[in-house]
Amino acid sequence: TLTDKLAAEMSRLGLGFEMHDFRRTFITRALREGHTMNDVRLAAGHQSSTTTERYVMEDREFDDAPFVPASKSLRVAR
């Protein structure tokens, strides 16, 4: 499945992301952009808004900074 392939690739890259991390990001960003809960619920494939609400991250959990791979974020002092 796609979930298994993603897990294998994240493991290979040494990253700790899971499929639900991407769902949380999608749902949180879609709601922040002003899409209605009903539209986001439908896009996520949920039958209930309550299920969709469980995926919404609080501001303190959501970092808008761009992802920088560890190998590029480390600087060697000279």
Side-chain angles (χ1 to χ4, degrees):
T1 66
L2 181 58
T3 300
D4 294 332
K5 288 179 181 183
L6 177 69
E9 190 63 15
M10 291 296 108
S11 178
R12 184 184 74 76
L13 294 171
L15 302 173
F17 297 111
E18 297 179 359
M19 184 61 76
H20 278 83
D21 295 321
F22 296 106
R23 290 178 65 83
R24 278 190 276 288
T25 300
F26 166 76
I27 289 169
T28 301
R29 284 187 181 256
L31 290 170
R32 283 186 177 180
E33 292 290 323
H35 297 280
T36 67
M37 175 61 78
N38 192 55
D39 287 345
V40 175
R41 175 190 65 80
L42 291 171
H46 295 151
Q47 290 186 1
S48 165
S49 294
T50 304
T51 302
T52 306
E53 288 171 359
R54 284 189 230 146
Y55 283 86
V56 178
M57 294 182 285
E58 296 180 25
D59 286 339
R60 68 178 180 264
E61 296 177 43
F62 196 70
D63 183 3
D64 286 326
F67 172 73
V68 178
S71 61
K72 292 189 179 188
S73 65
L74 299 176
R75 303 271 185 212
V76 177
R78 293 185 183 210

